[in-house]
Amino acid sequence: DKKEEDLTLEESFEKLEELLSILENRDTTLETSFQTYQEGMKLIKSCNEKLDTVEKKMREIYGRFAEME
């Protein structure tokens, strides 16, 4: 298994869907639910960091493009 930071955004979203399915299962124990929740929160944090990085790069590209005009 890859670490959260090694997953692509698409892989992270797929993993989050899997975790959501586990949480929605009524047979899931409280302990498993808690561990699954923690894993999901780590994935969400990783996704947010990746999106922030992409946004920063997009702003830089836009800034360079705007300077050319």
Side-chain angles (χ1 to χ4, degrees):
D1 276 346
K2 293 180 177 178
K3 289 181 151 187
E4 292 89 12
E5 56 270 5
D6 295 333
L7 296 173
T8 65
L9 280 172
E10 292 81 7
E11 290 171 330
S12 295
F13 292 149
E14 287 177 18
K15 182 68 176 175
L16 283 169
E17 287 181 23
E18 291 173 20
L19 295 175
L20 185 57
S21 294
I22 293 170
L23 289 172
E24 289 175 337
N25 184 341
R26 293 178 186 247
D27 295 329
T28 302
T29 65
L30 183 58
E31 184 176 340
T32 300
S33 293
F34 183 68
Q35 291 170 346
T36 303
Y37 175 81
Q38 286 182 310
E39 186 178 350
M41 292 307 292
K42 287 179 186 176
L43 265 174
I44 290 170
K45 181 181 178 199
S46 176
C47 287
N48 282 334
E49 290 169 355
K50 288 176 185 172
L51 288 170
D52 288 345
T53 300
V54 169
E55 181 180 8
K56 182 180 175 185
K57 288 179 182 178
M58 293 295 291
R59 288 179 190 268
E60 289 173 7
I61 291 169
Y62 178 76
R64 281 189 243 139
F65 179 75
E67 289 174 2
M68 286 195 243
E69 295 183 311

